């Protein structure tokens, strides 16, 4: 079967297989020490991705190395390709758009 499974399948969430061209929302973790990033928790809606980002932030909150967490919109194919990449520092990867008035630290 082709496509990407989106969702967790727990607590009533639907796990669904989507085509590679389908737009999904994912959590992006930016690691400060290695200057790399990774994408985790693919979701169908932005609200579900925001909840996943809050849970991810809560998980890493007490760690000595805390990633910056944001929600990005990307295609399922981009997520599938990026899942196999380790230590990606490419500047063309999807990034969260800053809200009005928000300053994004570099």
């Amino acid at each position: 079967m082709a496509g990407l499974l989106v969702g967790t399948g727990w607590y009533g969430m639907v796990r669904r297989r989507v085509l590679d061209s389908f737009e999904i929302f994912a959590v992006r973790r930016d690691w400060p020490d290695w200057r790399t990033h990774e994408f985790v928790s693919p979701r169908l809606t932005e609200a579900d991705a925001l909840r996943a980002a809050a849970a991810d932030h809560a998980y890493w909150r007490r760690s000595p190395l805390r990633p910056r967490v944001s929600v990005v919109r990307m295609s399922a194919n981009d997520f599938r390709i990026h899942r196999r990449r380790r230590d990606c520092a490419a500047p063309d990867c999807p990034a969260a758009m800053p809200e009005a008035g928000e300053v994004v630290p570099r």
Side-chain angles (χ1 to χ4, degrees), residues 26-93:
V27 176
R28 178 180 165 137
R29 289 183 195 147
D30 288 300
W31 295 99
D33 285 359
W34 298 299
R35 303 278 188 249
T36 62
H37 60 267
E38 63 185 343
F39 296 104
V40 295
S41 304
R43 299 290 189 257
L44 292 173
T45 64
E46 187 176 9
D48 289 342
L50 288 171
R51 283 192 291 275
D56 199 62
H57 175 72
Y59 177 81
W60 289 103
R61 182 177 52 220
R62 294 185 178 205
S63 171
L65 183 64
R66 294 179 194 97
R68 193 174 90 195
V69 177
S70 59
V71 174
V72 298
R73 182 187 306 198
M74 62 192 317
S75 70
N77 186 47
D78 287 342
F79 184 85
R80 186 179 49 79
I81 290 170
H82 217 89
R83 184 172 34 185
R84 293 183 183 89
R85 263 188 221 165
R86 294 289 176 212
D87 299 330
C88 180
D92 61 341
C93 291

